[in-house]
Amino acid sequence: MAEIYPGIHWIKLPIALEDSDLEHINVYLIKGSKGYLLVDSGWNTDESFSTFHNYLLKNGIAFQEIKQILVTHVHPDHYGAAGHIKELSEAKILMHQIEKDLIKPRYIDMNELLALTDKQLSDNGASEDEVETLRDATLGLENYIIATQPDTTLHDGETINIGTFNFRIIWTPGHSSGHICLYEPEKKILFSGDHILPKITPNVGLHPHSIDNPLGRYIESLQQIKKLDIELTLPGHDEPFKNPKRRINEIIRHHNLRNQEILTALESDGKSAYKIAQMITWSNNNGWDDLPPFHQRMAVFETLAHLEMMATEGRVDKYSHQGVYYYKQK
Ligand SMILES: [Zn+2]
Ligand SMILES: [Zn+2]
């Protein structure tokens, strides 16, 4: 842990969940003339907080010097501790307008989202028992976050000037509907959040609160980043890396292969998203039965994102039969 670039501290914080593929979450402190901008916050756990606090102590940085906390998206690993750090620093919290709108349904008044999630699973082929198993999968995530509202909402194209850095906000929907990246055109630095990760393919699912066609939007957002001149990418997980174009191509290739796999699964007859998710090879060569319920649910929503994208592009037909959606090859 050190300055990864003059004026940018890279701090690795621990992950709260045991069955995660991720080793840590990265947060970044950017030095300005009047204080620091923090990019993402880590989970709201004692372990994460003490790691962060120790880093500040070691580097002689006081909480009060943190003036702004920019949240790339409101997943618990990026947003969880923002409220806690705000209490100690009085920093302002910044995020995209769409992420702000997700705070209440995701973390404060969750009953509606739970009901919508159940409906989405059963509409897409899960039986009542299966819906119940998958429903219990995420209970408790709200314990790892403090649901704090932002002080400022951000929009695509706006700029944040801090010290010698002039960041452009780039709205990159897909992994989360209001996900943003931060781009410094002169220094050629991109803070990529969970939009582009060096090793893991970011999860893109069609959830009840997703933007239309999230995978299509995600790929468009990747193409948009591909046009930028970037020398250093600072992601939300794993290590900083150099060449995002190559990584973007790999991620797009992964999604094309997954589309092919789904089209093959659709060869004989129409199937529901739930059925197709059971036929796919998931990460680390896991079959459906090897996945814990939380990952099974992500798998169904990912499959759905692929199907919706291919339906939008006219590559598959979607039809409904006895209250369940099915997809078939054209
Ligand atoms: Zn995320
Ligand atoms: Zn993350």
Side-chain angles (χ1 to χ4, degrees):
M1 293 191 209
E3 280 183 57
I4 179 89
Y5 184 94
I8 302 177
H9 292 263
W10 167 33
I11 312 168
K12 296 182 190 182
L13 298 179
I15 292 289
L17 300 181
E18 274 169 18
D19 61 0
S20 172
D21 293 338
L22 305 164
E23 285 161 16
H24 57 263
I25 147 99
N26 298 320
V27 304
Y28 301 94
L29 262 180
I30 305 163
K31 194 173 169 44
S33 45
K34 295 187 192 113
Y36 289 88
L37 166 75
L38 176 65
V39 178
D40 288 335
S41 72
W43 295 84
N44 186 42
T45 62
D46 291 345
E47 194 196 357
S48 180
F49 179 75
S50 62
T51 308
F52 184 63
H53 192 194
N54 284 337
Y55 186 91
L56 295 186
L57 288 173
K58 238 190 192 164
N59 289 275
I61 302 169
F63 271 109
Q64 293 76 10
E65 290 178 76
I66 304 172
K67 301 295 181 195
Q68 302 178 88
I69 305 165
L70 181 136
V71 176
T72 57
H73 62 303
V74 295
H75 289 169
D77 46 341
H78 301 260
Y79 162 66
H84 190 190
I85 297 168
K86 179 186 170 147
E87 274 169 32
L88 298 162
S89 62
E90 292 175 25
K92 301 249 183 294
I93 297 177
L94 298 77
M95 65 179 67
H96 194 276
Q97 175 69 45
I98 294 174
E99 292 303 285
K100 173 186 159 56
D101 296 340
L102 292 174
I103 293 173
K104 190 164 176 249
R106 279 184 72 112
Y107 302 122
I108 297 172
D109 191 1
M110 288 114 69
N111 286 335
E112 187 193 305
L113 180 59
L114 288 173
L116 288 173
T117 303
D118 284 2
K119 184 172 176 342
Q120 186 146 335
L121 288 166
S122 67
D123 285 353
N124 285 286
S127 71
E128 231 171 89
D129 285 351
E130 289 159 343
V131 168
E132 206 164 308
T133 309
L134 300 195
R135 178 197 302 144
D136 292 340
T138 45
L139 288 182
L141 266 192
E142 68 279 10
N143 297 329
Y144 298 107
I145 70 123
I146 294 180
T148 313
Q149 293 294 331
D151 301 279
T152 307
T153 51
L154 299 169
H155 305 89
D156 188 59
E158 290 176 353
T159 53
I160 296 179
N161 306 313
I162 169 129
T164 62
F165 299 93
N166 298 303
F167 290 110
R168 201 198 305 159
I169 304 295
I170 304 179
W171 178 43
T172 48
H175 173 72
S176 187
S177 299
H179 188 290
I180 49 173
C181 292
L182 269 187
Y183 177 54
E184 218 302 343
E186 227 163 89
K187 298 185 169 66
K188 303 186 170 96
I189 296 173
L190 180 81
F191 290 86
S192 66
D194 280 355
H195 184 51
I196 307 165
L197 297 173
K199 288 188 200 149
I200 288 165
T201 310
N203 168 274
V204 178
L206 180 68
H207 304 275
H209 288 295
S210 290
I211 200 163
D212 288 347
N213 188 14
L215 187 58
R217 303 294 286 261
Y218 176 69
I219 305 242
E220 274 171 34
S221 318
L222 287 177
Q223 302 285 16
Q224 197 189 343
I225 298 287
K226 217 173 130 179
K227 292 184 200 142
L228 304 175
D229 189 3
I230 299 164
E231 277 174 10
L232 178 63
T233 309
L234 301 171
H237 303 275
D238 291 316
E239 316 290 307
F241 60 102
K242 287 245 181 301
N243 186 352
K245 290 195 174 83
R246 192 173 58 203
R247 184 61 191 136
I248 288 170
N249 288 338
E250 280 171 11
I251 294 172
I252 292 175
R253 203 174 314 126
H254 162 90
H255 287 298
N256 288 339
L257 288 172
R258 172 83 18 109
N259 277 340
Q260 281 310 320
E261 201 180 353
I262 290 172
L263 287 172
T264 306
L266 288 177
E267 224 146 50
S268 47
D269 55 350
K271 290 185 181 69
S272 70
Y274 191 82
K275 177 79 194 160
I276 298 162
Q278 292 175 304
M279 301 168 70
I280 301 289
T281 311
W282 294 100
S283 59
N284 306 326
N285 286 322
N286 276 320
W288 172 263
D289 293 327
D290 305 318
L291 299 175
F294 175 61
H295 287 226
Q296 286 185 341
R297 195 171 74 182
M298 291 207 304
V300 176
F301 288 154
E302 258 187 74
T303 305
L304 210 43
H306 279 273
L307 289 165
E308 205 60 27
M309 179 176 141
M310 289 195 283
T312 307
E313 292 171 354
R315 297 166 72 185
V316 299
D317 275 330
K318 178 182 179 179
Y319 62 98
S320 136
H321 176 64
Q322 295 179 341
V324 174
Y325 289 115
Y326 293 87
Y327 296 83
K328 67 173 168 50
Q329 274 202 15
K330 280 256 181 189

